[in-house]
């Protein structure tokens, strides 16, 4: 690893990540906002799930299955692919933003936000779309922090949305 004083970014993407990395206050802020976004997504889903279980226990169980089964599949897929994270590859990261190694593809945080958002679109369009926007911001922040590559968050968003639609169609028609 090079000393940060000697490092010269190669390309715009590299330069953007490098500038965020050097700005510790910005990095901390993006990390905190990321945690808040995940907490909001999970909290909204928990409320929706509690309401579903209260009104229709079978529907609540189906909602758990719609989100949990794909989440487990994505977790397994990440282990198998075991793609490196930007902070493992880019030479300027002397201090990693996260201790985890590998398992970068796809982004499980973004996947989770999008499967939750897509599932909730079927019940409340505004809430679902709002959570998708938060998921998009989460993806951008995780890229800027050097935790994921763009491909990781795009794959997480698309697979989360597709799994949410397929799962909810199964709930409706089964």
């Amino acid at each position: 690893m090079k000393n940060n004083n000697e490092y010269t970014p190669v390309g715009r993407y590299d330069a953007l990540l490098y500038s965020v990395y050097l700005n510790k206050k910005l990095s901390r802020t993006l990390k905190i906002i990321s945690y808040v976004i995940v907490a909001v997504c999970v909290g909204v889903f928990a409320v929706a799930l509690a309401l579903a279980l209260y009104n229709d226990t079978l529907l609540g169980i189906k909602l758990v299955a719609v989100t949990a089964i794909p989440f487990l599949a994505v977790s397994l897929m990440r282990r198998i692919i075991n793609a490196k994270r930007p902070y493992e590859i880019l030479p300027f990261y002397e201090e990693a933003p996260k201790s985890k190694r590998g398992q970068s593809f796809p982004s499980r945080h973004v996947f989770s936000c999008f499967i939750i958002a897509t599932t909730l679109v079927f019940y409340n369009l505004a809430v679902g779309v709002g959570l998708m926007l938060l998921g998009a911001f989460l993806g951008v922040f995780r890229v800027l922090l050097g935790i994921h590559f763009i491909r990781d968050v795009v794959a997480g968003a698309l697979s989360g949305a597709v799994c949410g639609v397929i799962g909810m169609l199964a709930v409706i028609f089964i």
Side-chain angles (χ1 to χ4, degrees):
M1 239 181 270
K2 293 183 179 183
N3 182 324
N4 282 331
N5 296 332
E6 299 172 11
Y7 185 74
T8 303
V10 180
R12 283 189 232 170
Y13 176 77
D14 197 22
L16 179 61
L17 266 58
Y18 185 55
S19 66
V20 172
Y21 173 75
L22 291 178
N23 188 334
K24 299 303 180 193
K25 187 174 182 180
L26 176 61
S27 294
R28 274 193 310 275
T29 302
L30 292 178
K31 199 174 214 182
I32 290 167
I33 293 171
S34 295
Y35 290 141
V36 169
I37 289 172
V38 171
V40 167
C41 287
V42 171
V44 168
F45 185 70
V47 169
L49 183 59
L51 290 171
L53 285 168
Y54 179 76
N55 292 317
D56 181 353
T57 304
L58 182 57
L59 175 62
I61 293 169
K62 287 179 180 180
L63 288 178
V64 169
V66 163
T67 54
I69 293 169
F71 180 84
L72 294 172
V74 164
S75 297
L76 178 62
M77 184 175 77
R78 285 164 43 102
R79 284 180 178 262
I80 292 169
I81 295 170
N82 201 28
K84 289 188 176 190
R85 295 172 180 274
Y87 61 78
E88 293 177 87
I89 297 170
L90 297 172
F92 59 82
Y93 283 103
E94 292 175 358
E95 180 184 317
K98 193 174 179 182
S99 61
K100 187 169 187 113
R101 299 284 179 234
Q103 299 183 32
S104 181
F105 182 84
S107 169
R108 197 167 47 189
H109 283 86
V110 174
F111 171 85
S112 298
C113 282
F114 271 83
I115 195 167
I116 289 168
T118 305
T119 301
L120 294 182
V121 158
F122 284 81
Y123 297 100
N124 187 309
L125 181 62
V127 169
V129 170
L131 290 180
M132 283 183 191
L133 287 171
L134 287 177
F137 281 117
L138 177 65
V140 170
F141 296 160
R142 292 186 68 80
V143 168
L144 290 175
L145 288 167
I147 298 170
H148 287 291
F149 289 105
I150 294 169
R151 65 161 195 242
D152 303 337
V153 298
V154 169
L158 290 176
S159 59
V162 168
C163 287
V165 168
I166 292 169
M168 287 311 295
L169 290 175
V171 165
I172 292 168
F173 293 112
I174 294 178

